[in-house]
Amino acid sequence: MNQIVLTGMVLSTMPIGEYDRRVVILTKEQGKISAFARGARRPNSPLVGAVNPFSFGEFTLYEGRTSYTIQSVNISNYFAELREDVSGAYYGFYFLEFADYYTKEFNDEREMLRLLYQTMRALINPHIPDRLIRYIFELKALTVNGQAPQVFQCVTCGNKERPAVFSAAKGGLVCSECDGNVIDGMLLDNSTLYSMQYIESSTIEKLYTFNVTEKVLNELGRVMERLMEVYVDKRFKSLEILETLT
């Protein structure tokens, strides 16, 4: 068996047998992987606190023919603050669940891992509303996955000057000359449009550096709800729980 060291974040865990866990990790080097944490459910195991969701660090694994086994973990951030914030924790679980759904094994998922890490850091910042963090994460995740809506020009003719509505079904802005068959057009506030442009074009490290008014936040919410209906064919359990809390 080969020993390898991977940097990543734990997305989920599940019990296996009497004492073991199966751990899903989003890694910088090999995308999403599954690994076995032998004895991780024993109280005296060195892995007992290291293979929980949100844990970010270096994972030393044995690479077998058909599976990985975790040997040791060096955690650099547990995001322990989320354990004291029920709402924030469920937002965090939603982001983990979303990343698990969107990422693949042996795929280059470095951008998604960076987005996930910076999003968790934003969640423990009391100055940024959790709802705004959610909409930023969702739109940037679509962008990372190559599904970003066109928010800089008309998707049909490329015009940047004429008034336009936003259509999730059409994939972005549709100008007044091209919107004849648009049935889901939304006229966006300029601040909402600027926010979307910033999210799509910004580096991940600078994503969570702005705030918006309640009006813009609500409008972003309506836009993202439509985009998620179009591009993400899944209901997330953590999001359903979060909606009952809020």
Side-chain angles (χ1 to χ4, degrees):
M1 289 192 296
N2 298 322
Q3 187 182 77
I4 59 173
V5 179
L6 304 178
T7 299
M9 180 178 290
V10 175
L11 300 182
S12 65
T13 71
M14 65 177 295
I16 297 291
E18 191 172 358
Y19 296 113
D20 302 339
R21 286 191 181 276
R22 177 180 175 272
V23 186
V24 178
I25 311 168
L26 185 61
T27 73
K28 180 173 69 174
E29 297 85 358
Q30 296 194 21
K32 184 173 67 176
I33 67 164
S34 296
F36 291 101
R38 307 293 184 190
R41 296 165 64 201
R42 296 181 185 273
N44 60 346
S45 169
L47 300 179
V48 69
V51 292
N52 293 323
F54 307 121
S55 296
F56 179 88
E58 290 186 341
F59 297 80
T60 301
L61 308 100
Y62 283 121
E63 184 178 14
R65 285 188 298 176
T66 59
S67 65
Y68 294 97
T69 300
I70 299 174
Q71 181 189 23
S72 63
V73 184
N74 181 20
I75 297 298
S76 57
N77 201 333
Y78 289 94
F79 295 100
E81 297 90 338
L82 295 178
R83 298 189 179 95
E84 303 168 6
D85 177 6
V86 175
S87 178
Y90 275 104
Y91 273 105
F93 282 123
Y94 167 55
F95 301 143
L96 294 181
E97 199 177 351
F98 190 102
D100 195 1
Y101 169 77
Y102 244 59
T103 54
K104 299 178 177 63
E105 294 184 8
F106 307 113
N107 197 39
D108 184 352
E109 303 290 0
R110 287 174 292 180
E111 286 291 284
M112 185 62 80
L113 179 61
R114 286 171 56 218
L115 175 60
L116 200 56
Y117 184 81
Q118 293 298 331
T119 302
M120 296 304 173
R121 289 188 61 190
L123 266 182
I124 60 178
N125 180 349
H127 302 296
I128 307 175
D130 290 346
R131 283 176 60 208
L132 178 58
I133 294 171
R134 171 187 168 181
Y135 303 146
I136 293 173
F137 172 84
E138 289 172 343
L139 182 54
K140 194 64 172 182
L142 291 178
T143 304
V144 168
N145 204 49
Q147 297 173 310
Q150 173 56 262
V151 292
F152 295 92
Q153 61 188 37
C154 175
V155 295
T156 302
C157 70
N159 182 271
K160 299 179 181 181
E161 307 301 327
R162 286 191 289 267
V165 294
F166 181 85
S167 166
K170 294 291 185 181
L173 296 176
V174 185
C175 77
S176 55
E177 293 291 319
C178 303
D179 64 359
N181 62 347
V182 172
I183 60 174
D184 67 336
M186 298 173 59
L187 187 61
L188 300 182
D189 185 277
N190 283 338
S191 295
T192 304
L193 184 58
Y194 294 154
S195 296
M196 295 179 69
Q197 290 172 342
Y198 180 81
I199 294 165
E200 290 191 16
S201 60
S202 170
T203 63
I204 288 172
E205 286 72 21
K206 293 183 178 179
L207 272 179
Y208 300 104
T209 56
F210 70 97
N211 217 320
V212 297
T213 65
E214 189 71 15
K215 176 186 176 183
V216 171
L217 186 61
N218 290 334
E219 199 163 78
L220 277 173
R222 290 193 295 273
V223 169
M224 292 315 305
E225 182 179 8
R226 284 289 298 121
L227 285 171
M228 295 292 282
E229 288 173 357
V230 171
Y231 291 109
V232 184
D233 183 25
K234 179 178 173 62
R235 286 292 295 172
F236 298 96
K237 292 180 181 179
S238 48
L239 189 57
E240 292 176 350
I241 295 172
L242 186 60
E243 288 169 350
T244 65
L245 293 176
T246 55

